[in-house]
């Protein structure tokens, strides 16, 4: 898998599908104007049960910075 050749949207779709394969129920938000929330992933198994808000960032040459 070559992440550097994926668009940001393709990366978001890849992560959503990966979570689905791991048993999460995933809702994808719109690709733009999503307020930073790209995916809502829900898991209903012991230990990791809950709702997770996911923001996908795909960078090739820069580090992802701290939002403080």
């Amino acid at each position: 898998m070559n992440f550097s050749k994926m668009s940001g949207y393709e990366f978001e779709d890849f992560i959503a599908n990966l979570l689905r394969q791991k048993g999460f129920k995933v809702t994808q938000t719109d690709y733009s104007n999503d307020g930073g929330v790209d995916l809502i992933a829900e898991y209903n198994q012991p230990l990791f049960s809950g709702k997770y808000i996911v923001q996908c960032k795909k960078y090739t040459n820069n580090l992802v910075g701290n939002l403080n």
Side-chain angles (χ1 to χ4, degrees):
M1 180 69 45
N2 189 343
F3 296 114
S4 66
K5 293 189 178 193
M6 288 183 180
S7 71
Y9 301 138
E10 289 171 328
F11 181 70
E12 201 173 301
D13 291 340
F14 173 80
I15 297 299
N17 287 327
L18 179 66
L19 289 170
R20 286 184 185 106
Q21 290 174 7
K22 297 299 179 185
F24 285 82
K25 176 186 170 202
V26 179
T27 303
Q28 287 184 260
T29 62
D30 292 335
Y31 286 128
S32 60
N33 298 318
D34 58 15
V37 176
D38 296 318
L39 310 171
I40 300 169
E42 297 180 65
Y43 196 69
N44 293 319
Q45 298 296 319
L47 193 59
F48 296 108
S49 179
K51 186 181 283 190
Y52 298 86
I53 305 300
V54 180
Q55 183 178 33
C56 300
K57 291 289 181 194
K58 184 214 160 239
Y59 285 89
T60 54
N61 297 324
N62 298 318
L63 296 175
V64 177
N66 192 346
L67 297 176
N68 288 345

